Amino acid sequence: MQPPVPAIWVDGEPAQALPLPDRGLDFGDGLFETLLLNSGAPLFPDLHLERLALGLQRLGFPDCIGRCREALDAASGNLESWSWAALRLTVTRGSGPRGYAPPVDPQPRIVVTAAPLREDRREFPPSLSVVPAHIRWSAQPVLAGIKHLNRLEQVLAASEAAAAAVDDVLVRDAAGNACSLSAANLFIVESGRLVTPRLDDCGIAGTRRRLVLEQWAPRLGMGAAEEPVSLERLLAADEVFCTNSLRGLQSLGRCERREWTATEVCRSLHAAYLESIAC
């Protein structure tokens, strides 16, 4: 029998509603991970759980990674009939008394939602058209790199993309350097060398970004570094692409008046990506 769309589990049980009160809803007090599933099998789950564990530590949550892994395994086991699916694993601090201060003995709540995807995620996606966003990511080193539930900046960035009738927006940090797209990490190619923006003060350290830096670029014999990337530097790059857990690797084709036709590096890394998922 096909699972419902979307499929929802709360603390391991099928559900249609979130118990209230919940600090995730009230304050954005929680974290999430978005995983790509192929026939029920999550891709790179250990990387997602490692980042989640870092976020739990940063926010002062009790250790619940074991419960998260069990929830992920239980949900994905029910989704084998879906060729490709997006699964979101959300952890909130659960219920608590009124006010910002967290409860003394929090009981984290684990919510899993999943929905099927129509596109074959092995295909190399078309290039993106973007414009620089007006909104900039706020500087907060404590929250940099992790996927906390406060996503209003991303909502506003996505709204800008829709208003400009482009695929996405390029968002800068408080200093004016390029940081990411609304929901994807950025890479530039300069004379065969890869550079991705540093994420010391803002942005999300994506799992595919990590794989490019640690595995796929070295496999191709390419140097890769984390450095500040000004907008001018990005626009002068030989090639620009982005990474995202659901879309994989995707080239940028246009940013305002600048156009890129080169996709060779992105395609080579995409081939390494396909070797890694082997599906």
mmCIF file of all heavy atoms in Angstrom, residues 71-104:
data_model
loop_
_atom_site.group_PDB
_atom_site.id
_atom_site.type_symbol
_atom_site.label_atom_id
_atom_site.label_comp_id
_atom_site.label_asym_id
_atom_site.label_seq_id
_atom_site.Cartn_x
_atom_site.Cartn_y
_atom_site.Cartn_z
ATOM 1 N N ALA A 71 14.112 6.963 14.158
ATOM 2 C CA ALA A 71 12.982 7.574 13.450
ATOM 3 C C ALA A 71 13.233 7.620 11.957
ATOM 4 O O ALA A 71 12.334 7.363 11.142
ATOM 5 C CB ALA A 71 12.725 8.984 13.996
ATOM 6 N N LEU A 72 14.471 7.939 11.571
ATOM 7 C CA LEU A 72 14.834 7.975 10.152
ATOM 8 C C LEU A 72 14.722 6.590 9.537
ATOM 9 O O LEU A 72 14.142 6.424 8.451
ATOM 10 C CB LEU A 72 16.255 8.509 10.013
ATOM 11 C CG LEU A 72 16.882 8.475 8.622
ATOM 12 C CD1 LEU A 72 16.073 9.290 7.645
ATOM 13 C CD2 LEU A 72 18.321 8.983 8.683
ATOM 14 N N ASP A 73 15.247 5.570 10.225
ATOM 15 C CA ASP A 73 15.197 4.209 9.695
ATOM 16 C C ASP A 73 13.755 3.714 9.569
ATOM 17 O O ASP A 73 13.392 3.073 8.571
ATOM 18 C CB ASP A 73 15.995 3.263 10.598
ATOM 19 C CG ASP A 73 17.496 3.517 10.539
ATOM 20 O OD1 ASP A 73 17.936 4.188 9.589
ATOM 21 O OD2 ASP A 73 18.200 3.053 11.449
ATOM 22 N N ALA A 74 12.930 4.008 10.585
ATOM 23 C CA ALA A 74 11.542 3.537 10.567
ATOM 24 C C ALA A 74 10.762 4.191 9.438
ATOM 25 O O ALA A 74 9.997 3.526 8.722
ATOM 26 C CB ALA A 74 10.887 3.825 11.913
ATOM 27 N N ALA A 75 10.942 5.500 9.258
ATOM 28 C CA ALA A 75 10.202 6.199 8.207
ATOM 29 C C ALA A 75 10.657 5.761 6.826
ATOM 30 O O ALA A 75 9.829 5.468 5.948
ATOM 31 C CB ALA A 75 10.379 7.704 8.379
ATOM 32 N N SER A 76 11.972 5.718 6.599
ATOM 33 C CA SER A 76 12.473 5.363 5.269
ATOM 34 C C SER A 76 12.087 3.937 4.896
ATOM 35 O O SER A 76 11.881 3.630 3.707
ATOM 36 C CB SER A 76 13.990 5.546 5.210
ATOM 37 O OG SER A 76 14.648 4.777 6.192
ATOM 38 N N GLY A 77 11.957 3.065 5.897
ATOM 39 C CA GLY A 77 11.542 1.694 5.613
ATOM 40 C C GLY A 77 10.133 1.591 5.066
ATOM 41 O O GLY A 77 9.774 0.583 4.442
ATOM 42 N N ASN A 78 9.327 2.643 5.265
ATOM 43 C CA ASN A 78 7.961 2.668 4.746
ATOM 44 C C ASN A 78 7.858 3.350 3.389
ATOM 45 O O ASN A 78 6.748 3.506 2.866
ATOM 46 C CB ASN A 78 7.043 3.410 5.733
ATOM 47 C CG ASN A 78 6.742 2.597 6.976
ATOM 48 O OD1 ASN A 78 5.982 1.631 6.935
ATOM 49 N ND2 ASN A 78 7.348 2.982 8.091
ATOM 50 N N LEU A 79 8.990 3.772 2.829
ATOM 51 C CA LEU A 79 8.957 4.573 1.606
ATOM 52 C C LEU A 79 9.675 3.898 0.443
ATOM 53 O O LEU A 79 10.061 4.549 -0.518
ATOM 54 C CB LEU A 79 9.603 5.946 1.882
ATOM 55 C CG LEU A 79 8.951 6.755 3.005
ATOM 56 C CD1 LEU A 79 9.787 7.984 3.325
ATOM 57 C CD2 LEU A 79 7.533 7.167 2.625
ATOM 58 N N GLU A 80 9.828 2.575 0.510
ATOM 59 C CA GLU A 80 10.543 1.864 -0.545
ATOM 60 C C GLU A 80 9.823 1.906 -1.884
ATOM 61 O O GLU A 80 10.452 1.744 -2.931
ATOM 62 C CB GLU A 80 10.766 0.416 -0.108
ATOM 63 C CG GLU A 80 11.693 0.279 1.093
ATOM 64 C CD GLU A 80 11.841 -1.157 1.548
ATOM 65 O OE1 GLU A 80 11.138 -2.031 0.990
ATOM 66 O OE2 GLU A 80 12.664 -1.411 2.448
ATOM 67 N N SER A 81 8.515 2.143 -1.870
ATOM 68 C CA SER A 81 7.759 2.183 -3.122
ATOM 69 C C SER A 81 7.940 3.507 -3.867
ATOM 70 O O SER A 81 7.532 3.622 -5.023
ATOM 71 C CB SER A 81 6.274 1.945 -2.849
ATOM 72 O OG SER A 81 5.744 2.951 -2.001
ATOM 73 N N TRP A 82 8.534 4.501 -3.223
ATOM 74 C CA TRP A 82 8.781 5.786 -3.873
ATOM 75 C C TRP A 82 10.175 5.774 -4.481
ATOM 76 O O TRP A 82 11.166 5.557 -3.779
ATOM 77 C CB TRP A 82 8.679 6.928 -2.867
ATOM 78 C CG TRP A 82 7.287 7.167 -2.354
ATOM 79 C CD1 TRP A 82 6.134 6.564 -2.774
ATOM 80 C CD2 TRP A 82 6.908 8.078 -1.321
ATOM 81 N NE1 TRP A 82 5.063 7.042 -2.072
ATOM 82 C CE2 TRP A 82 5.506 7.977 -1.171
ATOM 83 C CE3 TRP A 82 7.603 8.963 -0.505
ATOM 84 C CZ2 TRP A 82 4.786 8.724 -0.247
ATOM 85 C CZ3 TRP A 82 6.901 9.720 0.415
ATOM 86 C CH2 TRP A 82 5.513 9.612 0.539
ATOM 87 N N SER A 83 10.285 6.032 -5.772
ATOM 88 C CA SER A 83 11.591 6.010 -6.424
ATOM 89 C C SER A 83 12.521 7.055 -5.810
ATOM 90 O O SER A 83 13.614 6.749 -5.356
ATOM 91 C CB SER A 83 11.427 6.261 -7.928
ATOM 92 O OG SER A 83 12.679 6.298 -8.574
ATOM 93 N N TRP A 84 12.077 8.292 -5.812
ATOM 94 C CA TRP A 84 12.823 9.384 -5.184
ATOM 95 C C TRP A 84 11.896 10.128 -4.236
ATOM 96 O O TRP A 84 10.727 10.350 -4.554
ATOM 97 C CB TRP A 84 13.371 10.352 -6.233
ATOM 98 C CG TRP A 84 14.388 9.740 -7.145
ATOM 99 C CD1 TRP A 84 14.168 9.214 -8.380
ATOM 100 C CD2 TRP A 84 15.782 9.562 -6.880
ATOM 101 N NE1 TRP A 84 15.338 8.721 -8.907
ATOM 102 C CE2 TRP A 84 16.344 8.933 -8.003
ATOM 103 C CE3 TRP A 84 16.618 9.891 -5.807
ATOM 104 C CZ2 TRP A 84 17.699 8.619 -8.091
ATOM 105 C CZ3 TRP A 84 17.957 9.576 -5.890
ATOM 106 C CH2 TRP A 84 18.495 8.947 -7.021
ATOM 107 N N ALA A 85 12.444 10.530 -3.091
ATOM 108 C CA ALA A 85 11.621 11.230 -2.110
ATOM 109 C C ALA A 85 12.475 12.202 -1.314
ATOM 110 O O ALA A 85 13.697 12.019 -1.174
ATOM 111 C CB ALA A 85 10.941 10.236 -1.166
ATOM 112 N N ALA A 86 11.820 13.233 -0.800
ATOM 113 C CA ALA A 86 12.454 14.183 0.112
ATOM 114 C C ALA A 86 11.942 13.898 1.507
ATOM 115 O O ALA A 86 10.724 13.837 1.733
ATOM 116 C CB ALA A 86 12.116 15.617 -0.285
ATOM 117 N N LEU A 87 12.860 13.700 2.431
ATOM 118 C CA LEU A 87 12.494 13.431 3.815
ATOM 119 C C LEU A 87 13.071 14.522 4.698
ATOM 120 O O LEU A 87 14.252 14.854 4.600
ATOM 121 C CB LEU A 87 13.013 12.063 4.256
ATOM 122 C CG LEU A 87 12.668 11.621 5.686
ATOM 123 C CD1 LEU A 87 12.470 10.109 5.747
ATOM 124 C CD2 LEU A 87 13.763 12.043 6.678
ATOM 125 N N ARG A 88 12.228 15.078 5.535
ATOM 126 C CA ARG A 88 12.676 16.099 6.493
ATOM 127 C C ARG A 88 12.593 15.526 7.903
ATOM 128 O O ARG A 88 11.531 15.068 8.332
ATOM 129 C CB ARG A 88 11.840 17.364 6.382
ATOM 130 C CG ARG A 88 12.157 18.384 7.480
ATOM 131 C CD ARG A 88 11.542 19.724 7.224
ATOM 132 N NE ARG A 88 11.548 20.528 8.445
ATOM 133 C CZ ARG A 88 11.688 21.847 8.474
ATOM 134 N NH1 ARG A 88 11.860 22.504 7.350
ATOM 135 N NH2 ARG A 88 11.656 22.500 9.617
ATOM 136 N N LEU A 89 13.719 15.568 8.600
ATOM 137 C CA LEU A 89 13.817 15.128 9.985
ATOM 138 C C LEU A 89 13.952 16.378 10.850
ATOM 139 O O LEU A 89 14.942 17.106 10.757
ATOM 140 C CB LEU A 89 15.035 14.217 10.152
ATOM 141 C CG LEU A 89 15.421 13.785 11.564
ATOM 142 C CD1 LEU A 89 14.332 12.925 12.185
ATOM 143 C CD2 LEU A 89 16.740 13.029 11.548
ATOM 144 N N THR A 90 12.947 16.638 11.679
ATOM 145 C CA THR A 90 12.908 17.840 12.511
ATOM 146 C C THR A 90 12.969 17.449 13.978
ATOM 147 O O THR A 90 12.281 16.519 14.402
ATOM 148 C CB THR A 90 11.617 18.645 12.256
ATOM 149 O OG1 THR A 90 11.535 18.993 10.866
ATOM 150 C CG2 THR A 90 11.586 19.914 13.097
ATOM 151 N N VAL A 91 13.793 18.154 14.736
ATOM 152 C CA VAL A 91 13.884 17.945 16.177
ATOM 153 C C VAL A 91 13.581 19.268 16.866
ATOM 154 O O VAL A 91 14.271 20.262 16.626
ATOM 155 C CB VAL A 91 15.278 17.449 16.601
ATOM 156 C CG1 VAL A 91 15.300 17.141 18.098
ATOM 157 C CG2 VAL A 91 15.692 16.228 15.805
ATOM 158 N N THR A 92 12.534 19.306 17.692
ATOM 159 C CA THR A 92 12.247 20.493 18.484
ATOM 160 C C THR A 92 12.549 20.203 19.954
ATOM 161 O O THR A 92 12.727 19.053 20.350
ATOM 162 C CB THR A 92 10.778 20.925 18.357
ATOM 163 O OG1 THR A 92 9.943 20.095 19.190
ATOM 164 C CG2 THR A 92 10.292 20.825 16.911
ATOM 165 N N ARG A 93 12.576 21.241 20.753
ATOM 166 C CA ARG A 93 12.828 21.046 22.171
ATOM 167 C C ARG A 93 11.576 20.554 22.892
ATOM 168 O O ARG A 93 11.586 20.332 24.103
ATOM 169 C CB ARG A 93 13.353 22.332 22.827
ATOM 170 C CG ARG A 93 14.266 22.056 24.027
ATOM 171 C CD ARG A 93 14.728 23.352 24.701
ATOM 172 N NE ARG A 93 15.514 24.208 23.853
ATOM 173 C CZ ARG A 93 16.844 24.321 23.907
ATOM 174 N NH1 ARG A 93 17.527 23.580 24.768
ATOM 175 N NH2 ARG A 93 17.484 25.170 23.117
ATOM 176 N N GLY A 94 10.505 20.346 22.129
ATOM 177 C CA GLY A 94 9.281 19.805 22.706
ATOM 178 C C GLY A 94 8.477 20.863 23.426
ATOM 179 O O GLY A 94 8.552 22.051 23.124
ATOM 180 N N SER A 95 7.665 20.442 24.380
ATOM 181 C CA SER A 95 6.818 21.351 25.139
ATOM 182 C C SER A 95 7.623 22.041 26.229
ATOM 183 O O SER A 95 8.730 21.615 26.578
ATOM 184 C CB SER A 95 5.655 20.585 25.770
ATOM 185 O OG SER A 95 4.877 19.949 24.773
ATOM 186 N N GLY A 96 7.052 23.106 26.768
ATOM 187 C CA GLY A 96 7.719 23.816 27.852
ATOM 188 C C GLY A 96 6.842 24.921 28.379
ATOM 189 O O GLY A 96 5.804 25.256 27.785
ATOM 190 N N PRO A 97 7.222 25.519 29.496
ATOM 191 C CA PRO A 97 6.446 26.615 30.059
ATOM 192 C C PRO A 97 6.530 27.853 29.186
ATOM 193 O O PRO A 97 7.397 27.961 28.311
ATOM 194 C CB PRO A 97 7.111 26.843 31.420
ATOM 195 C CG PRO A 97 8.514 26.356 31.240
ATOM 196 C CD PRO A 97 8.418 25.200 30.290
ATOM 197 N N ARG A 98 5.646 28.794 29.431
ATOM 198 C CA ARG A 98 5.635 30.036 28.664
ATOM 199 C C ARG A 98 6.959 30.784 28.874
ATOM 200 O O ARG A 98 7.528 30.779 29.945
ATOM 201 C CB ARG A 98 4.459 30.899 29.127
ATOM 202 C CG ARG A 98 4.321 32.197 28.353
ATOM 203 C CD ARG A 98 3.180 33.041 28.897
ATOM 204 N NE ARG A 98 3.096 34.298 28.181
ATOM 205 C CZ ARG A 98 3.867 35.362 28.425
ATOM 206 N NH1 ARG A 98 4.775 35.291 29.390
ATOM 207 N NH2 ARG A 98 3.722 36.464 27.733
ATOM 208 N N GLY A 99 7.420 31.430 27.805
ATOM 209 C CA GLY A 99 8.637 32.232 27.894
ATOM 210 C C GLY A 99 9.780 31.628 27.096
ATOM 211 O O GLY A 99 9.754 30.464 26.709
ATOM 212 N N TYR A 100 10.797 32.454 26.846
ATOM 213 C CA TYR A 100 11.922 32.026 26.029
ATOM 214 C C TYR A 100 12.799 30.979 26.700
ATOM 215 O O TYR A 100 13.388 30.128 26.039
ATOM 216 C CB TYR A 100 12.809 33.230 25.678
ATOM 217 C CG TYR A 100 12.196 34.191 24.694
ATOM 218 C CD1 TYR A 100 12.241 35.565 24.921
ATOM 219 C CD2 TYR A 100 11.602 33.739 23.526
ATOM 220 C CE1 TYR A 100 11.692 36.465 24.017
ATOM 221 C CE2 TYR A 100 11.049 34.620 22.612
ATOM 222 C CZ TYR A 100 11.099 35.989 22.870
ATOM 223 O OH TYR A 100 10.564 36.860 21.975
ATOM 224 N N ALA A 101 12.943 31.051 28.015
ATOM 225 C CA ALA A 101 13.872 30.166 28.706
ATOM 226 C C ALA A 101 13.493 28.712 28.482
ATOM 227 O O ALA A 101 12.333 28.326 28.653
ATOM 228 C CB ALA A 101 13.877 30.473 30.202
ATOM 229 N N PRO A 102 14.455 27.872 28.087
ATOM 230 C CA PRO A 102 14.135 26.467 27.835
ATOM 231 C C PRO A 102 13.814 25.734 29.127
ATOM 232 O O PRO A 102 14.272 26.132 30.208
ATOM 233 C CB PRO A 102 15.423 25.918 27.202
ATOM 234 C CG PRO A 102 16.496 26.831 27.676
ATOM 235 C CD PRO A 102 15.878 28.180 27.827
ATOM 236 N N PRO A 103 13.018 24.669 29.052
ATOM 237 C CA PRO A 103 12.713 23.886 30.250
ATOM 238 C C PRO A 103 13.978 23.247 30.824
ATOM 239 O O PRO A 103 14.939 22.976 30.096
ATOM 240 C CB PRO A 103 11.721 22.839 29.750
ATOM 241 C CG PRO A 103 11.958 22.754 28.279
ATOM 242 C CD PRO A 103 12.370 24.118 27.846
ATOM 243 N N VAL A 104 13.947 23.004 32.119
ATOM 244 C CA VAL A 104 15.102 22.422 32.787
ATOM 245 C C VAL A 104 15.369 21.005 32.281
ATOM 246 O O VAL A 104 16.521 20.607 32.102
ATOM 247 C CB VAL A 104 14.886 22.417 34.318
ATOM 248 C CG1 VAL A 104 16.052 21.705 35.021
ATOM 249 C CG2 VAL A 104 14.735 23.837 34.841
#
